[in-house]
Amino acid sequence: MKKYERYIDRFFDEENFENVKLEDNSGKEIEFEQVAVVDYEEKYYAILHPITKLEGVNEDEALVFLIDEENDSLVYCEDEGTAQAVFAVFYESLEDEE
């Protein structure tokens, strides 16, 4: 596992594909696969696919987290509109690669 100066630096390392482990509100560890980092409205968001089964989340779903650079952390994006916009930017970037 590569060491980073800040926790969030792993998301900006294009060569890093390591899974990410986060804790939910109850302290349960959840493992995520890194899907993408998206620049949206001058903020960065991480799209993460849960490997650990999550209640209310389908196996093929991914979640959006704000990369909080000031606090060196990830914050779950609860705003559905922002999450949908982040996914739209991500899907557009995939089309541009084709």
Side-chain angles (χ1 to χ4, degrees):
M1 183 165 151
K2 189 173 178 180
K3 296 290 182 189
Y4 296 94
E5 190 172 319
R6 299 177 312 158
Y7 173 77
I8 62 169
D9 289 342
R10 71 189 71 234
F11 298 100
F12 298 105
D13 180 354
E14 293 180 6
E15 295 178 6
N16 177 32
F17 299 101
E18 294 176 7
N19 291 342
V20 178
K21 294 180 182 177
L22 303 174
E23 287 186 5
D24 67 10
N25 293 336
S26 67
K28 177 184 171 191
E29 189 174 83
I30 302 166
E31 188 171 1
F32 291 88
E33 173 186 18
Q34 295 183 61
V35 176
V37 172
V38 174
D39 183 356
Y40 174 70
E41 291 192 347
E42 299 181 19
K43 295 180 182 175
Y44 290 101
Y45 293 86
I47 299 176
L48 303 177
H49 175 257
I51 295 172
T52 305
K53 177 79 173 124
L54 292 176
E55 186 176 321
V57 178
N58 293 327
E59 287 183 29
D60 62 344
E61 286 185 77
L63 304 174
V64 175
F65 293 82
L66 170 68
I67 299 175
D68 184 346
E69 295 185 68
E70 186 174 314
N71 294 307
D72 190 29
S73 63
L74 295 178
V75 178
Y76 175 67
C77 179
E78 294 184 31
D79 182 319
E80 188 67 29
T82 299
Q84 288 179 355
V86 169
F87 278 115
V89 170
F90 171 63
Y91 293 134
E92 185 177 300
S93 73
L94 292 178
E95 290 174 5
D96 290 344
E97 289 179 5
E98 292 178 359

